[in-house]
Amino acid sequence: AFLTGAQQNFARKHRIPIDHLVFDFHVLSIEADNRSSLMTPPEEGVYVYGLYLEGARWDRDTMALGESPSKVLYDAVPVLHLVPVDRAKKEARLTYRCPVYKTSAR
């Protein structure tokens, strides 16, 4: 419901059918525990925090996925900025598609 609400707000603002929207994302260089610097909401989209990677890590130097250090199973993901965009106008780029789980139990 949270992400659908973000899409609905965007669709109404830009007068685009909601079924034409997909999310693009930007990984910010702000850690979840420092999110207080994000006191105002983004102009478009939403900020998301509290996600973890399992079996990989977010390399803060290269701003890309990297291999986990040995014996480290989980890595916190920095704050994400999810932005609704028109599917036809979304720029193609290399991304890794993966599922998101609410808990570590599947």
Side-chain angles (χ1 to χ4, degrees):
F2 173 68
L3 295 178
T4 302
Q7 286 182 316
Q8 287 173 336
N9 289 339
F10 185 90
R12 287 182 188 132
K13 181 177 178 181
H14 296 282
R15 299 178 189 220
I16 300 171
I18 194 168
D19 58 335
H20 289 196
L21 296 177
V22 295
F23 278 104
D24 198 0
F25 69 95
H26 307 284
V27 181
L28 305 181
S29 58
I30 300 168
E31 298 299 321
D33 52 352
N34 294 330
R35 67 186 180 277
S36 60
S37 63
L38 301 170
M39 294 303 291
T40 58
E43 181 133 347
E44 304 284 359
V46 293
Y47 295 128
V48 176
Y49 62 90
L51 297 177
Y52 290 84
L53 291 169
E54 180 180 354
R57 72 180 176 96
W58 183 254
D59 187 323
R60 278 112 175 115
D61 295 328
T62 63
M63 296 297 282
L65 284 177
E67 288 196 33
S68 295
S70 112
K71 299 183 183 178
V72 176
L73 188 57
Y74 300 103
D75 182 51
V77 177
V79 176
L80 300 176
H81 181 198
L82 298 180
V83 185
V85 294
D86 189 326
R87 181 181 287 118
K89 296 178 182 176
K90 185 176 181 208
E91 294 181 29
R93 60 187 171 132
L94 294 175
T95 57
Y96 176 72
R97 294 177 56 102
C98 66
V100 175
Y101 299 100
K102 288 184 179 183
T103 67
S104 60
R106 295 185 203 151

XYZ file of all heavy atoms in Angstrom:
852
model
N 0.821 -1.188 0.000
C 0.000 0.000 0.000
C 0.870 1.259 0.000
O 0.494 2.248 -0.612
C -0.915 -0.012 1.212
N 2.014 1.213 0.671
C 2.900 2.379 0.751
C 3.403 2.777 -0.637
O 3.317 3.938 -1.034
C 4.062 2.050 1.690
C 5.146 3.092 1.740
C 4.909 4.337 2.303
C 6.401 2.814 1.237
C 5.914 5.294 2.355
C 7.408 3.755 1.293
C 7.158 5.001 1.846
N 3.916 1.801 -1.387
C 4.453 2.101 -2.713
C 3.342 2.437 -3.698
O 3.513 3.297 -4.563
C 5.302 0.935 -3.216
C 6.567 0.668 -2.401
C 7.328 -0.533 -2.950
C 7.461 1.892 -2.362
N 2.205 1.783 -3.569
C 1.072 2.096 -4.437
C 0.611 3.533 -4.186
O 0.278 4.257 -5.136
C -0.088 1.114 -4.194
O 0.390 -0.208 -4.439
C -1.258 1.407 -5.103
N 0.610 3.948 -2.938
C 0.252 5.323 -2.610
C 1.200 6.320 -3.247
O 0.776 7.378 -3.740
N 2.485 6.011 -3.257
C 3.468 6.887 -3.895
C 3.189 6.978 -5.399
O 3.279 8.060 -5.992
C 4.884 6.366 -3.646
N 2.846 5.842 -6.016
C 2.514 5.854 -7.442
C 1.234 6.642 -7.705
O 1.153 7.388 -8.679
C 2.359 4.431 -7.982
C 3.672 3.712 -8.158
C 3.478 2.326 -8.748
O 2.588 1.592 -8.334
N 4.322 1.981 -9.693
N 0.229 6.485 -6.851
C -1.025 7.213 -7.023
C -0.807 8.720 -6.935
O -1.344 9.481 -7.749
C -2.054 6.774 -5.982
C -2.622 5.411 -6.252
C -3.526 4.924 -5.119
O -3.400 5.369 -3.974
N -4.422 4.011 -5.439
N -0.024 9.162 -5.975
C 0.272 10.591 -5.859
C 0.959 11.118 -7.105
O 0.627 12.189 -7.607
C 1.130 10.869 -4.623
C 0.372 10.691 -3.336
O -0.849 10.738 -3.302
N 1.112 10.477 -2.261
N 1.926 10.364 -7.618
C 2.656 10.766 -8.815
C 1.723 10.785 -10.028
O 1.747 11.726 -10.825
C 3.825 9.797 -9.057
C 4.722 10.189 -10.190
C 5.820 11.009 -9.964
C 4.483 9.742 -11.484
C 6.651 11.368 -11.009
C 5.313 10.100 -12.528
C 6.404 10.919 -12.291
N 0.898 9.753 -10.158
C -0.023 9.656 -11.296
C -1.009 10.823 -11.300
O -1.290 11.404 -12.356
C -0.772 8.324 -11.254
N -1.535 11.172 -10.161
C -2.468 12.305 -10.075
C -1.775 13.622 -10.395
O -2.302 14.458 -11.122
C -3.083 12.380 -8.680
C -4.085 11.295 -8.422
C -4.703 11.429 -7.032
N -5.525 10.262 -6.747
C -5.477 9.578 -5.635
N -4.646 9.922 -4.670
N -6.271 8.536 -5.457
N -0.579 13.804 -9.845
C 0.157 15.053 -10.049
C 0.502 15.267 -11.522
O 0.415 16.375 -12.038
C 1.433 15.042 -9.199
C 2.277 16.285 -9.308
C 3.477 16.201 -8.384
C 4.366 17.413 -8.525
N 5.543 17.305 -7.635
N 0.899 14.180 -12.206
C 1.361 14.287 -13.594
C 0.321 13.818 -14.612
O 0.616 13.780 -15.813
C 2.661 13.500 -13.755
C 3.778 14.072 -12.942
N 4.486 15.183 -13.320
C 4.291 13.691 -11.742
C 5.396 15.463 -12.416
N 5.300 14.570 -11.436
N -0.859 13.439 -14.119
C -1.958 12.990 -14.988
C -1.520 11.873 -15.935
O -1.681 11.948 -17.147
C -2.543 14.159 -15.760
C -3.117 15.201 -14.840
C -3.646 16.378 -15.557
N -3.976 17.399 -14.580
C -5.036 18.149 -14.657
N -5.879 18.011 -15.653
N -5.256 19.052 -13.734
N -0.954 10.837 -15.309
C -0.488 9.638 -16.019
C -1.258 8.457 -15.447
O -1.416 8.364 -14.230
C 1.027 9.413 -15.790
C 1.839 10.594 -16.302
C 1.494 8.129 -16.450
C 3.303 10.535 -15.904
N -1.731 7.536 -16.289
C -2.388 6.340 -15.739
C -1.416 5.563 -14.847
O -0.251 5.354 -15.206
C -2.767 5.526 -16.971
C -2.761 6.504 -18.094
C -1.744 7.545 -17.750
N -1.885 5.136 -13.687
C -1.016 4.461 -12.722
C -0.430 3.170 -13.294
O 0.688 2.786 -12.952
C -1.753 4.202 -11.387
C -0.738 3.813 -10.301
C -2.845 3.169 -11.550
C -1.302 3.822 -8.905
N -1.144 2.508 -14.211
C -0.602 1.266 -14.763
C 0.514 1.511 -15.782
O 1.111 0.567 -16.278
C -1.713 0.391 -15.353
C -2.514 1.090 -16.438
O -2.569 2.332 -16.435
O -3.086 0.389 -17.285
N 0.848 2.772 -16.058
C 1.988 3.094 -16.930
C 3.252 3.356 -16.112
O 4.305 3.606 -16.684
C 1.694 4.332 -17.768
C 0.678 4.113 -18.841
N 0.518 4.986 -19.888
C -0.226 3.122 -19.044
C -0.445 4.554 -20.675
N -0.916 3.420 -20.185
N 3.133 3.306 -14.783
C 4.260 3.669 -13.920
C 5.044 2.457 -13.434
O 4.477 1.403 -13.173
C 3.763 4.454 -12.702
C 3.110 5.799 -12.985
C 2.610 6.423 -11.688
C 4.068 6.739 -13.694
N 6.339 2.644 -13.327
C 7.253 1.692 -12.692
C 8.146 2.520 -11.763
O 8.162 3.749 -11.843
C 8.115 0.918 -13.726
C 7.248 0.037 -14.595
C 8.929 1.869 -14.574
N 8.883 1.862 -10.903
C 9.793 2.572 -10.008
C 11.209 2.543 -10.543
O 11.696 1.511 -11.013
C 9.797 1.949 -8.606
C 8.665 2.415 -7.753
C 7.584 1.601 -7.524
C 8.680 3.672 -7.183
C 6.531 2.017 -6.739
C 7.639 4.116 -6.387
C 6.559 3.283 -6.166
N 11.862 3.670 -10.478
C 13.302 3.748 -10.645
C 13.845 4.007 -9.246
O 13.081 4.323 -8.327
C 13.676 4.877 -11.604
C 15.096 4.731 -12.141
O 15.787 3.758 -11.775
O 15.528 5.596 -12.930
N 15.125 3.859 -9.052
C 15.683 4.037 -7.708
C 17.060 4.652 -7.768
O 17.757 4.578 -8.786
C 15.757 2.697 -6.961
C 16.774 1.766 -7.545
C 18.051 1.716 -7.027
C 16.462 0.963 -8.620
C 19.007 0.869 -7.570
C 17.402 0.110 -9.172
C 18.675 0.063 -8.649
N 17.418 5.271 -6.676
C 18.764 5.820 -6.482
C 19.194 5.426 -5.076
O 18.449 5.638 -4.115
C 18.760 7.340 -6.613
C 18.135 7.828 -7.876
N 18.748 7.773 -9.090
C 16.904 8.341 -8.107
C 17.945 8.246 -10.017
N 16.805 8.598 -9.448
N 20.372 4.837 -4.962
C 20.919 4.512 -3.644
C 21.655 5.755 -3.167
O 22.579 6.233 -3.819
C 21.874 3.302 -3.706
C 22.407 2.986 -2.319
C 21.181 2.096 -4.313
N 21.207 6.300 -2.042
C 21.819 7.505 -1.509
C 23.038 7.149 -0.663
O 23.188 6.014 -0.223
C 20.794 8.272 -0.659
C 19.483 8.626 -1.362
C 18.569 9.395 -0.410
C 19.728 9.425 -2.624
N 23.879 8.122 -0.425
C 25.066 7.876 0.406
C 24.767 8.166 1.872
O 25.659 8.483 2.641
C 26.237 8.716 -0.088
O 25.891 10.082 -0.069
N 23.491 8.034 2.249
C 23.051 8.283 3.624
C 22.692 6.944 4.265
O 21.877 6.197 3.725
C 21.832 9.216 3.643
C 22.200 10.552 2.997
C 21.308 9.402 5.054
C 21.019 11.434 2.711
N 23.307 6.650 5.395
C 23.006 5.405 6.096
C 21.676 5.550 6.835
O 21.272 6.659 7.216
C 24.120 5.055 7.080
C 25.459 4.810 6.427
C 25.458 3.646 5.451
O 24.814 2.617 5.729
O 26.130 3.756 4.408
N 21.006 4.443 7.049
C 19.688 4.459 7.695
C 19.734 5.108 9.070
O 18.802 5.814 9.454
C 19.135 3.040 7.785
N 20.809 4.917 9.820
C 20.873 5.503 11.163
C 21.179 6.998 11.129
O 21.125 7.669 12.153
C 21.851 4.749 12.061
C 23.219 4.565 11.453
O 23.406 4.882 10.266
O 24.112 4.087 12.160
N 21.482 7.550 9.948
C 21.700 9.001 9.791
C 20.577 9.637 8.983
O 20.737 10.722 8.439
C 23.038 9.271 9.090
C 24.214 8.857 9.932
O 24.153 8.893 11.151
N 25.291 8.457 9.290
N 19.438 8.979 8.889
C 18.344 9.452 8.042
C 17.710 10.739 8.546
O 16.919 11.353 7.850
C 17.298 8.370 7.876
C 16.549 8.022 9.126
C 15.620 6.843 8.922
N 14.895 6.512 10.127
C 15.347 5.764 11.111
N 16.548 5.230 11.014
N 14.617 5.526 12.171
N 18.063 11.169 9.749
C 17.501 12.416 10.268
C 17.885 13.609 9.398
O 17.237 14.650 9.454
C 17.929 12.642 11.712
O 19.332 12.727 11.793
N 18.924 13.457 8.556
C 19.297 14.537 7.635
C 18.257 14.690 6.516
O 18.268 15.664 5.794
C 20.684 14.286 7.047
O 20.684 13.110 6.274
N 17.362 13.718 6.403
C 16.301 13.772 5.400
C 15.008 14.240 6.069
O 14.027 13.510 6.147
C 16.094 12.392 4.764
C 17.299 11.777 4.076
C 17.020 10.332 3.711
C 17.669 12.573 2.844
N 14.996 15.432 6.564
C 13.851 15.935 7.319
C 12.651 16.252 6.422
O 11.526 16.248 6.879
C 14.244 17.171 8.112
C 15.255 16.864 9.205
S 14.710 15.609 10.379
C 13.431 16.467 11.227
N 12.891 16.571 5.174
C 11.781 16.882 4.272
C 11.620 15.739 3.275
O 12.606 15.123 2.857
C 12.035 18.191 3.508
O 13.248 18.077 2.774
C 12.126 19.373 4.455
N 10.386 15.444 2.884
C 10.181 14.368 1.905
C 10.711 14.784 0.536
O 10.838 15.978 0.245
C 8.657 14.190 1.877
C 8.101 15.466 2.399
C 9.130 16.043 3.317
N 11.028 13.810 -0.306
C 11.508 14.153 -1.646
C 10.384 14.796 -2.464
O 9.203 14.589 -2.192
C 11.923 12.804 -2.241
C 11.126 11.801 -1.493
C 10.928 12.360 -0.126
N 10.752 15.581 -3.450
C 9.751 16.211 -4.323
C 8.936 15.162 -5.054
O 7.737 15.300 -5.227
C 10.443 17.140 -5.321
C 9.480 17.831 -6.216
C 9.745 19.308 -6.356
O 10.530 19.864 -5.578
O 9.153 19.870 -7.260
N 9.590 14.111 -5.509
C 8.929 12.990 -6.186
C 9.357 11.707 -5.503
O 10.512 11.550 -5.128
C 9.328 12.912 -7.668
C 9.080 14.158 -8.475
C 7.623 14.355 -8.839
O 6.788 13.518 -8.483
O 7.322 15.375 -9.482
N 8.449 10.761 -5.337
C 8.786 9.452 -4.801
C 8.870 9.414 -3.284
O 8.328 10.275 -2.595
N 9.594 8.404 -2.790
C 9.695 8.165 -1.347
C 11.105 7.695 -0.999
O 11.822 7.159 -1.840
C 8.685 7.089 -0.878
C 7.264 7.576 -1.018
C 8.867 5.784 -1.635
N 11.480 7.924 0.256
C 12.715 7.366 0.795
C 12.371 6.058 1.499
O 11.355 5.961 2.183
C 13.372 8.312 1.796
C 13.857 9.608 1.210
C 13.498 10.827 1.775
C 14.690 9.626 0.105
C 13.949 12.021 1.257
C 15.155 10.814 -0.427
C 14.776 12.011 0.152
O 15.227 13.192 -0.363
N 13.217 5.052 1.332
C 13.023 3.759 1.981
C 14.312 3.398 2.712
O 15.409 3.545 2.168
C 12.684 2.657 0.935
C 12.569 1.299 1.592
C 11.402 3.004 0.196
N 14.164 2.926 3.958
C 15.334 2.501 4.733
C 14.970 1.253 5.514
O 13.805 0.880 5.618
C 15.817 3.619 5.674
C 14.807 4.029 6.709
C 14.753 3.405 7.943
C 13.886 5.028 6.447
C 13.826 3.768 8.892
C 12.947 5.410 7.396
C 12.922 4.768 8.607
O 11.997 5.136 9.546
N 15.985 0.581 6.027
C 15.753 -0.617 6.837
C 15.879 -1.906 6.052
O 15.524 -2.964 6.552
N 16.393 -1.848 4.836
C 16.584 -3.068 4.046
C 17.982 -3.626 4.276
O 18.925 -2.889 4.571
C 16.394 -2.782 2.555
C 15.003 -2.304 2.128
C 14.993 -1.996 0.639
C 13.952 -3.337 2.459
N 18.097 -4.953 4.121
C 19.378 -5.636 4.272
C 19.602 -6.535 3.076
O 18.659 -7.075 2.510
C 19.397 -6.501 5.546
C 19.412 -5.671 6.798
C 18.240 -5.177 7.344
C 20.614 -5.384 7.424
C 18.249 -4.403 8.490
C 20.637 -4.610 8.578
C 19.450 -4.125 9.097
O 19.473 -3.355 10.225
N 20.860 -6.677 2.699
C 21.243 -7.645 1.663
C 21.701 -8.914 2.358
O 22.371 -8.855 3.388
C 22.391 -7.098 0.815
C 22.061 -5.931 -0.093
C 23.344 -5.328 -0.651
C 21.159 -6.390 -1.223
N 21.364 -10.050 1.774
C 21.813 -11.339 2.297
C 22.740 -11.968 1.269
O 22.366 -12.132 0.108
C 20.622 -12.254 2.549
C 21.017 -13.609 3.102
C 19.815 -14.504 3.358
O 18.664 -14.062 3.215
O 20.052 -15.671 3.705
N 23.952 -12.285 1.683
C 24.898 -12.943 0.792
C 25.590 -11.995 -0.171
O 26.257 -12.414 -1.108
N 25.455 -10.704 0.035
C 26.118 -9.678 -0.769
C 26.255 -8.444 0.118
O 25.772 -8.429 1.238
C 25.309 -9.349 -2.016
N 26.909 -7.410 -0.395
C 27.006 -6.172 0.366
C 26.917 -4.997 -0.587
O 27.130 -5.135 -1.793
C 28.309 -6.097 1.158
C 29.524 -5.875 0.287
C 30.796 -5.804 1.129
N 31.958 -5.695 0.274
C 32.545 -4.546 -0.044
N 32.092 -3.407 0.431
N 33.588 -4.525 -0.844
N 26.557 -3.857 -0.033
C 26.567 -2.637 -0.824
C 27.919 -1.970 -0.606
O 28.272 -1.589 0.504
C 25.437 -1.688 -0.413
C 25.417 -0.488 -1.288
C 25.827 0.770 -0.975
C 25.012 -0.444 -2.655
N 25.694 1.594 -2.052
C 25.199 0.879 -3.102
C 24.505 -1.387 -3.551
C 24.893 1.271 -4.405
C 24.206 -0.996 -4.834
C 24.401 0.318 -5.253
N 28.721 -1.868 -1.687
C 30.044 -1.268 -1.608
C 29.871 0.250 -1.646
O 29.477 0.810 -2.659
C 30.899 -1.751 -2.775
C 32.341 -1.316 -2.675
O 32.590 -0.175 -2.212
O 33.219 -2.094 -3.076
N 30.136 0.901 -0.546
C 29.925 2.338 -0.448
C 30.945 3.141 -1.254
O 30.689 4.299 -1.583
C 29.953 2.782 1.014
C 28.616 2.551 1.707
C 28.720 1.467 2.749
N 27.460 1.345 3.491
C 26.703 0.255 3.436
N 27.048 -0.775 2.695
N 25.590 0.193 4.132
N 32.082 2.551 -1.589
C 33.086 3.254 -2.394
C 32.706 3.284 -3.868
O 32.818 4.314 -4.526
C 34.463 2.594 -2.230
C 34.989 2.726 -0.812
O 34.684 3.745 -0.150
O 35.701 1.808 -0.362
N 32.258 2.145 -4.383
C 31.916 2.064 -5.808
C 30.429 2.286 -6.068
O 30.014 2.383 -7.217
C 32.310 0.696 -6.392
O 31.563 -0.327 -5.729
C 33.796 0.451 -6.254
N 29.617 2.332 -4.981
C 28.159 2.476 -5.082
C 27.576 1.383 -5.980
O 26.779 1.634 -6.882
C 27.777 3.864 -5.598
C 28.167 4.996 -4.655
S 27.351 4.921 -3.056
C 25.744 5.545 -3.449
N 27.996 0.153 -5.694
C 27.537 -1.013 -6.451
C 27.527 -2.232 -5.533
O 28.120 -2.212 -4.451
C 28.461 -1.264 -7.646
N 26.847 -3.279 -5.986
C 26.868 -4.531 -5.232
C 28.272 -5.108 -5.230
O 29.003 -4.990 -6.213
C 25.918 -5.553 -5.860
C 24.441 -5.357 -5.607
C 23.643 -6.410 -6.362
C 24.119 -5.425 -4.130
N 28.614 -5.742 -4.128
C 29.906 -6.391 -4.027
C 29.781 -7.682 -3.245
O 28.721 -8.000 -2.708
N 30.875 -8.421 -3.200
C 30.866 -9.666 -2.443
C 30.940 -9.388 -0.952
O 31.593 -8.450 -0.510
C 32.065 -10.533 -2.859
C 31.905 -11.119 -4.239
C 32.886 -12.252 -4.482
O 33.217 -12.970 -3.525
O 33.301 -12.396 -5.631
N 30.257 -10.228 -0.191
C 30.286 -10.103 1.272
C 31.649 -10.498 1.800
O 32.281 -11.416 1.278
C 29.267 -11.050 1.912
O 27.978 -10.699 1.571
N 32.089 -9.829 2.851
C 33.289 -10.321 3.531
C 32.980 -11.692 4.127
O 31.826 -12.015 4.400
C 33.522 -9.294 4.632
C 32.720 -8.098 4.258
C 31.593 -8.592 3.418
N 33.994 -12.477 4.348
C 33.761 -13.814 4.875
C 33.109 -13.740 6.252
O 33.410 -12.876 7.064
C 35.087 -14.569 4.885
O 35.555 -14.834 6.125
N 32.162 -14.650 6.460
C 31.403 -14.799 7.707
C 30.455 -13.631 8.007
O 29.985 -13.500 9.121
C 32.339 -15.035 8.884
C 33.160 -16.294 8.731
C 34.015 -16.527 9.937
C 34.889 -17.759 9.707
N 35.769 -18.006 10.813
N 30.175 -12.781 7.018
C 29.198 -11.707 7.186
C 28.016 -12.042 6.286
O 28.125 -12.028 5.065
C 29.783 -10.329 6.809
C 28.717 -9.241 6.897
C 30.966 -10.001 7.693
N 26.895 -12.380 6.895
C 25.726 -12.819 6.124
C 24.864 -11.658 5.654
O 24.354 -11.662 4.545
C 24.885 -13.784 6.968
C 23.734 -14.473 6.242
C 24.223 -15.240 5.030
C 22.993 -15.390 7.190
N 24.680 -10.614 6.484
C 23.786 -9.510 6.154
C 24.538 -8.187 6.108
O 25.475 -7.971 6.868
C 22.668 -9.383 7.199
C 21.812 -10.606 7.315
C 21.963 -11.484 8.370
C 20.848 -10.892 6.351
C 21.173 -12.617 8.483
C 20.058 -12.024 6.444
C 20.223 -12.878 7.521
O 19.447 -14.004 7.617
N 24.082 -7.285 5.220
C 24.659 -5.948 5.130
C 23.510 -4.950 4.998
O 22.616 -5.136 4.163
C 25.587 -5.834 3.922
C 26.244 -4.468 3.831
O 26.819 -4.015 4.835
O 26.182 -3.848 2.751
N 23.509 -3.910 5.807
C 22.471 -2.878 5.729
C 22.640 -2.082 4.435
O 23.758 -1.752 4.034
C 22.561 -1.949 6.929
N 21.522 -1.789 3.807
C 21.515 -1.000 2.574
C 21.321 0.464 2.962
O 20.497 0.765 3.825
C 20.373 -1.459 1.637
C 20.291 -0.607 0.391
C 20.550 -2.923 1.268
N 22.063 1.386 2.334
C 21.806 2.805 2.615
C 20.377 3.182 2.211
O 19.665 2.409 1.585
C 22.830 3.530 1.731
C 23.890 2.517 1.441
C 23.185 1.197 1.420
N 19.983 4.391 2.526
C 18.646 4.879 2.182
C 18.464 4.852 0.670
O 19.362 5.236 -0.086
C 18.438 6.308 2.720
C 17.090 6.863 2.293
C 18.565 6.328 4.239
N 17.301 4.357 0.238
C 16.952 4.326 -1.187
C 15.938 5.414 -1.484
O 15.040 5.672 -0.682
C 16.322 2.980 -1.567
C 17.149 1.728 -1.369
C 16.310 0.492 -1.707
C 18.381 1.766 -2.237
N 16.076 6.028 -2.646
C 15.065 6.973 -3.127
C 14.347 6.285 -4.281
O 14.929 6.056 -5.333
C 15.729 8.269 -3.596
C 14.762 9.300 -4.077
N 15.148 10.344 -4.857
C 13.423 9.439 -3.893
C 14.099 11.098 -5.132
N 13.043 10.558 -4.563
N 13.093 5.898 -4.053
C 12.276 5.256 -5.083
C 11.449 6.330 -5.770
O 10.734 7.090 -5.107
C 11.362 4.197 -4.483
C 12.048 3.024 -3.786
C 11.001 2.064 -3.239
C 12.970 2.302 -4.737
N 11.550 6.382 -7.094
C 10.885 7.418 -7.874
C 9.999 6.774 -8.930
O 10.499 6.021 -9.771
C 11.924 8.319 -8.574
C 11.242 9.474 -9.288
C 12.954 8.825 -7.603
N 8.695 7.055 -8.926
C 7.847 6.552 -10.009
C 8.217 7.251 -11.314
O 8.490 8.452 -11.336
C 6.426 6.946 -9.581
C 6.517 7.290 -8.145
C 7.912 7.758 -7.910
N 8.244 6.493 -12.389
C 8.509 7.045 -13.724
C 7.586 6.362 -14.722
O 7.157 5.225 -14.505
C 9.975 6.871 -14.161
C 10.924 7.683 -13.297
C 10.396 5.429 -14.163
N 7.325 7.053 -15.807
C 6.548 6.464 -16.892
C 7.376 5.339 -17.504
O 8.544 5.535 -17.843
C 6.234 7.532 -17.947
C 5.249 7.078 -18.994
O 5.265 5.872 -19.353
O 4.463 7.911 -19.454
N 6.793 4.170 -17.618
C 7.498 2.988 -18.138
C 8.163 3.289 -19.478
O 9.285 2.867 -19.745
C 6.515 1.828 -18.290
C 7.142 0.546 -18.808
C 6.122 -0.569 -18.970
N 5.726 -1.076 -17.660
C 4.491 -1.018 -17.174
N 3.511 -0.485 -17.881
N 4.221 -1.509 -15.984
N 7.493 4.043 -20.345
C 8.021 4.342 -21.683
C 9.219 5.282 -21.630
O 10.027 5.311 -22.562
C 6.927 4.946 -22.549
N 9.364 6.049 -20.555
C 10.441 7.039 -20.455
C 11.581 6.606 -19.550
O 12.553 7.341 -19.387
C 9.880 8.368 -19.954
C 8.895 8.986 -20.915
C 8.332 10.266 -20.367
C 7.308 10.845 -21.335
N 6.662 12.045 -20.793
N 11.480 5.422 -18.962
C 12.527 4.966 -18.045
C 13.789 4.655 -18.818
O 13.772 3.924 -19.806
C 12.076 3.732 -17.269
C 13.075 3.306 -16.232
C 12.594 2.154 -15.391
C 13.657 1.825 -14.372
N 13.616 0.450 -13.989
N 14.886 5.208 -18.347
C 16.181 4.978 -18.991
C 16.665 3.564 -18.701
O 16.603 3.110 -17.563
C 17.218 5.980 -18.487
C 16.922 7.402 -18.881
C 17.988 8.363 -18.385
O 19.162 7.939 -18.250
O 17.646 9.511 -18.130
N 17.154 2.902 -19.721
C 17.693 1.550 -19.551
C 19.082 1.645 -18.912
O 19.895 2.477 -19.282
C 17.787 0.852 -20.894
N 19.312 0.813 -17.917
C 20.627 0.718 -17.283
C 20.756 -0.662 -16.669
O 19.764 -1.342 -16.437
C 20.855 1.809 -16.250
C 19.872 1.814 -15.126
C 20.078 3.027 -14.235
N 18.987 3.121 -13.300
C 19.119 3.317 -12.020
N 20.317 3.451 -11.491
N 18.071 3.397 -11.235
N 21.974 -1.060 -16.405
C 22.204 -2.370 -15.826
C 21.807 -2.359 -14.362
O 22.316 -1.556 -13.581
C 23.672 -2.774 -15.962
C 24.162 -3.001 -17.385
C 25.658 -3.278 -17.374
C 23.419 -4.150 -18.027
N 20.877 -3.216 -14.007
C 20.455 -3.358 -12.620
C 20.326 -4.838 -12.306
O 20.238 -5.669 -13.213
C 19.097 -2.668 -12.343
O 18.127 -3.213 -13.220
C 19.186 -1.169 -12.534
N 20.317 -5.137 -11.047
C 20.145 -6.515 -10.591
C 18.771 -6.614 -9.961
O 18.490 -5.957 -8.964
C 21.243 -6.874 -9.582
C 21.091 -8.247 -8.993
C 21.340 -9.372 -9.762
C 20.689 -8.414 -7.673
C 21.192 -10.645 -9.224
C 20.549 -9.675 -7.130
C 20.802 -10.785 -7.920
O 20.646 -12.031 -7.384
N 17.891 -7.401 -10.547
C 16.542 -7.580 -10.025
C 16.543 -8.717 -9.009
O 17.031 -9.801 -9.301
C 15.575 -7.885 -11.157
C 15.407 -6.725 -12.125
C 14.490 -7.067 -13.276
N 13.191 -7.515 -12.820
C 12.087 -6.779 -12.800
N 12.130 -5.549 -13.242
N 10.953 -7.264 -12.367
N 16.003 -8.435 -7.834
C 15.947 -9.454 -6.790
C 14.700 -9.249 -5.942
O 14.147 -8.152 -5.903
C 17.203 -9.424 -5.928
S 17.369 -7.925 -4.965
N 14.258 -10.293 -5.267
C 13.071 -10.146 -4.417
C 13.386 -9.395 -3.133
O 14.541 -9.319 -2.705
C 12.684 -11.602 -4.120
C 13.963 -12.354 -4.228
C 14.766 -11.661 -5.298
N 12.350 -8.836 -2.534
C 12.458 -8.184 -1.233
C 11.531 -8.929 -0.279
O 10.362 -9.137 -0.580
C 12.048 -6.696 -1.309
C 12.035 -6.062 0.074
C 12.972 -5.932 -2.234
N 12.074 -9.336 0.851
C 11.299 -10.048 1.873
C 11.136 -9.166 3.091
O 12.047 -8.424 3.444
C 12.004 -11.345 2.282
C 12.193 -12.313 1.143
C 13.412 -12.411 0.489
C 11.154 -13.115 0.730
C 13.593 -13.304 -0.557
C 11.317 -14.009 -0.322
C 12.535 -14.094 -0.963
O 12.687 -14.964 -1.990
N 10.001 -9.266 3.762
C 9.762 -8.493 4.980
C 10.570 -9.017 6.151
O 10.923 -8.284 7.054
C 8.287 -8.519 5.354
C 7.424 -7.695 4.437
C 6.004 -7.717 4.947
C 5.086 -6.886 4.097
N 3.727 -6.858 4.638
N 10.846 -10.313 6.183
C 11.629 -10.911 7.268
C 12.650 -11.842 6.650
O 12.610 -12.150 5.454
C 10.728 -11.739 8.214
O 10.230 -12.878 7.504
C 9.579 -10.922 8.741
N 13.545 -12.339 7.471
C 14.549 -13.274 6.957
C 13.961 -14.672 6.752
O 14.538 -15.498 6.073
C 15.753 -13.331 7.896
O 15.333 -13.767 9.167
N 12.785 -14.933 7.324
C 12.113 -16.229 7.119
C 11.368 -16.200 5.804
O 10.637 -15.269 5.510
C 11.128 -16.486 8.264
N 11.579 -17.241 4.989
C 10.915 -17.261 3.686
C 9.860 -18.295 3.695
O 9.673 -19.277 3.456
C 11.931 -17.523 2.588
C 12.895 -16.396 2.492
C 13.817 -16.581 1.348
N 15.013 -15.798 1.644
C 16.186 -16.103 1.215
N 16.389 -17.131 0.484
N 17.199 -15.339 1.514
